Amino acid sequence: ESEKGKKILIYYNKSGGAHLSTKNTIWESFHKDYSLMALNISTIYWNRVSPLAWITGGVGNADNLYNLLLRFGFIRFMNFMAKFIVPFVVIFSRKKMIKVFRKDFFFSKADLVVSTVPLTNIFLAEACKSLDIPFVVTCLDSVPDIWIRDLRYFSYNKFLF
């Protein structure tokens, strides 16, 4: 525990803007009393396992692709990717992502993990559960399917959605 109190890790990304705004709101609300660390999940984690990063030599990332598609109005394509493409990337990278998150939680001495992003919450939840760290998911959509897709049957008494 730091001088400011417990350590909170906040996972966010810069896709669309609401994730970053939520991270900023959490930061402003708690930074005086808690030790906070904000981590962009797209640039720090997804670039380690994403085919997009491999194809573009590390230049492209999920944030940039999402924002580009959003800017040009490719909403249906984005929904298609989220429903049919991303789950395969998630399945492919599951063990590696959980291992990376566990390591980061352990070395950062996290007391709480907060997610403002969809798709990776099962990794975060499993890593938190294995280390007995509370986990909170903030849902920014009126339809939470993509946020909790793999968490529907996940059982952990320190998980809050």
Side-chain angles (χ1 to χ4, degrees), residues 24 39 44 48 52 70 74 102 106 120 128:
N24 290 341
L39 303 157
I44 297 172
R48 295 181 187 176
L52 180 62
L70 189 63
F74 292 116
R102 281 178 47 98
F106 178 79
T120 54
C128 284

Side-chain angles (χ1 to χ4, degrees), residues 13 19 46 66 75 77-87 90 115-123 137-152 161:
N13 64 18
H19 312 283
W46 274 115
Y66 182 91
I75 306 301
F77 180 68
M78 290 172 16
N79 290 336
F80 172 82
M81 285 181 55
K83 190 170 186 178
F84 298 107
I85 307 297
V86 173
V90 169
S115 171
T116 71
V117 295
L119 304 172
T120 54
N121 289 322
I122 189 63
F123 305 144
V137 173
T138 60
C139 181
L140 310 178
D141 297 319
S142 59
V143 181
D145 289 355
I146 199 166
W147 295 80
I148 60 167
R149 174 189 347 221
D150 297 323
L151 292 170
R152 286 190 183 116
F161 178 73

